[in-house]
Structure formats: structure tokens, C-alpha cells
């Protein structure tokens, strides 16, 4: 058994205290955890109790790290696991964090995949194939990806992407317009046929005359 000889507030980090056992610094813990555990000077702690306190503190820090990672946007389960591994947390702690996040509905790969698809459609249109590749890279299961992208419309995605880009290409002749916009759409994963169709549509919607497609055939390589 060890005796708590001092509980001192940390100067560097607010909300934390340093725990001294038998006159020597042992470890630091959060004030809420110290309060919940009812720690006080003179209290005796067994090795098992000390280990539980350390584990509880580690869990709290890892959970806080996960919450911070989630704060800018939703994340996939695999992203959170990878983040916690990089911070040096053990698998058992990571499992506990994931379980609590799921219980609180803070992570859900089905919801995440739908969010990712909608975000891409709204802000950075790209092909279904490319969105699926991004979701795979984030560790989302194939079935979940298929469900999230089942109704995806590549034609609409290409059109939205082209509309945004075309505003910066006004004044170009058709071959230059075709080449620049074609390269842009190809980088976003769209097929060659869809790219050509979309370019022609946007070109005409800008009030331009029907392009001479035969004269532009040399632009097929973008």
C-alpha cells in the first residue's frame, strides 16, 4: 500500500493535479477524475487501485484526443484508430474509446460515408469512382461505400464541377477551353465520354456557337 502524501495543482496545465505517493511524485491526473475517485491526502492506495487510476487517466486523455480530432468534421472509425495509435495509445484503450464514441453516436461509418459523399457533391464535385476510392482510403467497408454511393449521379457531378471551373475560362477559344476543362474534369475522375459531353454542354450554355468537333479531335488527350 502507498499513501497519498500530497495533491498539488499543476502550474503548467489547469484542471490537473500532481499526485505524490510516499513523498514522491507518482503521476498527474485530471481534477474531475481525482474528485470522482475521492482522493485525499493520507489515503492509502493499493497497487490495483493505482493501476486503475492510471488507466482511467489514460482513457480520459485518449477520449479527449478523439473528441478534438472529431471537432472539425466527422471521421471514420479507422481514422480515429489510426490517430490514437500515432499518439501511442494501446489497443485496449483504443477499443474502449471507440466503444464509448459509438455508444454516444459520435462515430458511425454509415453516417460518415454519407457525409463525405454529400460534402464532395456540394463543395468539391468529383466522380463516384474517386469518392469511393477516398472512402476506401479512410478505411470504410466496401458494403458501406456501395450503400452511400448507390444513387450517385456522375453526369450531375461532372456538370457541377464544370460549371464552377468554366467561369474562370471565359474568353478562351473552344480548343483551349476543351483542353483546360477536360484536364480539370479528368483529375476529378470522370470518364472521357462524359467529359466531352459536359464540355460541349457548358460551352453552349455560355452562349457560344456549336463547336466544330472534328477540328477539335486532336484535343482528345486533353
Amino acid at each position: 500500500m502507498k499513501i497519498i502524501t500530497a495533491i498539488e495543482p499543476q502550474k503548467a496545465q489547469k484542471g490537473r493535479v500532481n499526485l505524490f505517493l510516499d513523498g514522491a511524485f507518482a503521476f498527474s491526473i485530471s481534477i474531475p477524475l481525482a474528485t470522482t475517485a475521492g482522493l485525499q491526502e493520507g489515503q492509502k492506495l493499493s497497487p490495483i487501485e493505482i493501476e486503475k487510476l492510471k488507466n482511467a487517466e489514460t482513457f480520459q486523455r485518449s477520449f479527449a484526443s478523439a473528441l478534438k480530432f472529431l471537432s472539425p468534421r466527422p471521421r471514420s472509425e479507422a481514422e480515429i484508430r489510426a490517430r490514437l495509435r500515432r499518439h501511442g495509445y494501446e489497443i485496449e484503450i483504443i477499443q474502449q474509446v471507440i466503444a464509448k464514441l459509438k455508444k454516444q453516436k459520435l462515430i458511425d461509418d454509415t453516417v460518415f460515408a454519407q457525409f463525405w459523399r454529400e460534402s464532395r457533391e456540394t463543395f468539391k464535385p468529383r466522380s463516384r469512382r474517386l469518392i469511393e476510392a477516398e472512402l476506401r482510403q479512410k478505411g470504410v467497408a466496401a458494403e458501406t461505400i456501395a450503400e452511400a454511393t448507390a444513387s450517385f449521379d456522375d453526369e450531375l457531378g461532372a456538370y457541377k464541377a464544370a460549371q464552377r471551373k468554366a467561369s474562370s475560362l471565359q474568353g478562351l477559344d473552344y480548343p483551349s477551353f476543351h483542353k483546360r476543362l477536360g484536364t480539370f474534369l479528368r483529375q476529378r475522375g470522370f470518364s472521357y465520354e462524359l467529359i466531352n459531353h459536359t464540355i460541349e454542354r457548358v460551352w453552349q450554355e455560355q452562349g457560344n456557337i456549336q463547336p466544330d468537333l472534328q477540328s477539335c479531335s486532336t484535343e482528345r488527350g486533353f
Side-chain angles (χ1 to χ4, degrees):
M1 301 288 284
K2 289 185 178 291
I3 299 175
I4 299 177
T5 50
I7 303 175
E8 300 178 354
Q10 276 197 354
K11 294 180 180 179
Q13 283 186 285
K14 293 182 178 180
R16 299 185 63 78
V17 294
N18 292 328
L19 196 66
F20 291 80
L21 300 177
D22 293 342
F25 171 76
F27 52 91
S28 67
I29 61 175
S30 68
I31 290 177
L33 179 56
T35 302
T36 300
L39 300 182
Q40 54 187 339
E41 293 182 9
Q43 181 180 348
K44 293 182 179 180
L45 296 176
S46 68
I48 293 177
E49 289 173 324
I50 292 172
E51 193 62 27
K52 283 184 178 180
L53 279 173
K54 289 181 177 180
N55 288 339
E57 172 59 27
T58 301
F59 173 78
Q60 280 196 353
R61 283 191 285 106
S62 60
F63 189 72
S65 178
L67 290 179
K68 184 177 180 180
F69 188 48
L70 280 164
S71 60
R73 65 165 176 81
R75 308 280 182 177
S76 69
E77 180 178 331
E79 283 184 292
I80 294 173
R81 287 183 181 276
R83 173 81 168 195
L84 294 178
R85 282 198 300 269
R86 287 196 298 271
H87 280 66
Y89 293 109
E90 296 180 356
I91 293 177
E92 184 178 351
I93 291 293
I94 294 174
Q95 287 291 89
Q96 292 174 16
V97 170
I98 294 297
K100 185 172 181 178
L101 290 172
K102 285 183 175 180
K103 185 177 181 179
Q104 295 185 357
K105 301 187 183 303
L106 294 173
I107 57 169
D108 182 327
D109 275 3
T110 298
V111 174
F112 170 76
Q114 189 63 34
F115 156 81
W116 192 261
R117 172 201 160 156
E118 291 174 358
S119 177
R120 285 307 195 211
E121 284 181 307
T122 304
F123 302 108
K124 294 182 178 181
R126 57 200 57 205
S127 70
R128 172 179 176 172
R129 178 178 62 83
L130 202 54
I131 291 173
E132 289 175 338
E134 290 175 339
L135 288 170
R136 283 195 299 271
Q137 188 176 25
K138 293 183 180 300
V140 179
E143 315 83 68
T144 304
I145 294 174
E147 182 181 346
T149 60
S151 61
F152 189 83
D153 187 340
D154 255 358
E155 185 171 352
L156 180 59
Y159 179 64
K160 285 183 177 179
Q163 275 188 314
R164 293 186 179 188
K165 181 65 176 177
S167 62
S168 67
L169 303 179
Q170 292 183 1
L172 295 179
D173 58 23
Y174 184 72
S176 300
F177 180 85
H178 187 284
K179 183 174 183 179
R180 295 272 295 277
L181 189 53
T183 298
F184 175 81
L185 293 174
R186 186 183 61 183
Q187 291 171 343
R188 277 147 188 79
F190 296 107
S191 68
Y192 170 76
E193 289 185 3
L194 181 55
I195 288 174
N196 271 344
H197 168 73
T198 303
I199 291 173
E200 291 163 21
R201 177 183 175 183
V202 173
W203 173 260
Q204 291 181 50
E205 285 181 351
Q206 289 186 337
N208 298 299
I209 61 172
Q210 178 94 15
D212 182 353
L213 300 181
Q214 185 174 3
S215 67
C216 296
S217 60
T218 57
E219 299 297 332
R220 287 179 176 271
F222 305 132

